[in-house]
Amino acid sequence: MTNKEFYQETFSQLRSSCDIRWEDMEMRTSKRHISRHLVTLAAVIALMAVLSAAAVAADLFGLRRMLLPQWGQTLSLSGYAESPESRALAQWRTWLAEQGLGAAAEDGGTDPWFQIDQIYTPEMEEALTEIAEKYGLTLHPAAVDAAAFPGVFDETFLGENNRAYHVRICEDGTFFFDGEYDLSGGETLSYQFIRCVRGSFTDGLLEVGDVSRYQEWTYETACGRTVTAALAEDRGVLIADLEDCLVTVNVPRAELERQDLEALADSIDFGRLTPVTAPDLSGRGADTQLNTGSGLETGAIRTFAAELLDLLERDDRAAVAERFSYPCTVTTAEGETFQADTAQELLDHWDEAVAPMTGTLSEALMGGDFFSHDGLVGTADGAVWFGLTGDGQIRIFTLQTPEGAGVRPVSLGISAGPSPAPEA
């Protein structure tokens, strides 16, 4: 196995969120290790018991303390600004920006959703390892689909009107998911949830805008745990600083009512989230939506998607063309149809046949919403289809627009079987 294969296998999560999109909020997956500023326990208890307007203004508990150092309006979901986790994350984000691999702090910080970033070069792995070691943190090997490992995600901390979807979980118990909560009035709140376990590096960010626009207060939930609540015109945020982890709940909803945010907090038993028990992720895991019927494991398709997204971002047309299945039928936007038997023939017509659709392909890969059907893996509502071919490689079979333009297979040479190892 080459170094690149090792990095891709170890950090095999697609840049696009690992099946979790924190919708219009701007986020990525983060591991949270909140270092505690050693205020005496008695002082902390006193402050929480008699939280005054002055304490809120000083932001002793609030969003301002979670701002990522030197990154303006971006919250670190893995710890407060003074914590090793947050400082490591700030250094990592700065390194990425310096390498041209991420937005700079002065450019607004982060992409518009929550994600685990793809580590796909030895240089990235070396830099991140060095940063993690500097701050005494461990790295997640991966965030896996909890559905593939029955029993590893215990959702008894959620009330009966609360549901979790697309759960991803790490080896130390860090997890994140999309959730829905039914309010008593019949409305449903959609939210994003992340628990970051202290001691690990998790690349989790949330763009919140100017923190001064939030109304903040502490709230004792139905389970007896106190959380920090923050409310702005476009979202609500809940923060629970537990013994060995930090929990953040993001509710992207305009004109969210204070009582509804508190009702959501009451529906979560934060006491059941600590102490954290590391899940047993040994073994291959059960079949998931992707490897049932397609012969493809979730990790393999995500690795393929991450590699392809990187090639698209670098506009490496030749390498992308090699990922298609041949022969294929190509239809241009003007309705011209021809057959391409090789990657070079597709490249000869790239501008009129493929280039107009690369944006759709990139968005699909970043969205990370994959499903399987008839031996293929699809995304973007069926605009893009991948499959395992007879040579043991994952290739693109279909890339099409609603108007009918695109690339389609002449015949489907699909092969069921074990997923291939990532290419070097």
Side-chain angles (χ1 to χ4, degrees), residues 314-378:
R314 292 191 281 110
D315 196 27
D316 191 341
R317 299 184 174 188
V320 173
E322 292 291 342
R323 265 64 176 180
F324 280 83
S325 176
Y326 297 96
C328 58
T329 299
V330 182
T331 303
T332 67
E334 290 73 29
E336 178 187 358
T337 299
F338 61 90
Q339 179 171 312
D341 295 318
T342 65
Q344 185 56 55
E345 291 181 7
L346 184 61
L347 285 170
D348 291 341
H349 298 274
W350 190 272
D351 288 333
E352 65 267 31
V354 182
M357 291 172 289
T358 54
T360 297
L361 181 55
S362 294
E363 290 176 6
L365 296 173
M366 294 178 70
D369 186 14
F370 300 113
F371 56 91
S372 62
H373 182 69
D374 288 343
L376 293 176
V377 173

Side-chain angles (χ1 to χ4, degrees), residues 376-394:
L376 293 176
V377 173
T379 186
D381 294 326
V384 183
W385 290 92
F386 309 99
L388 187 61
T389 57
D391 60 358
Q393 300 299 318
I394 302 174

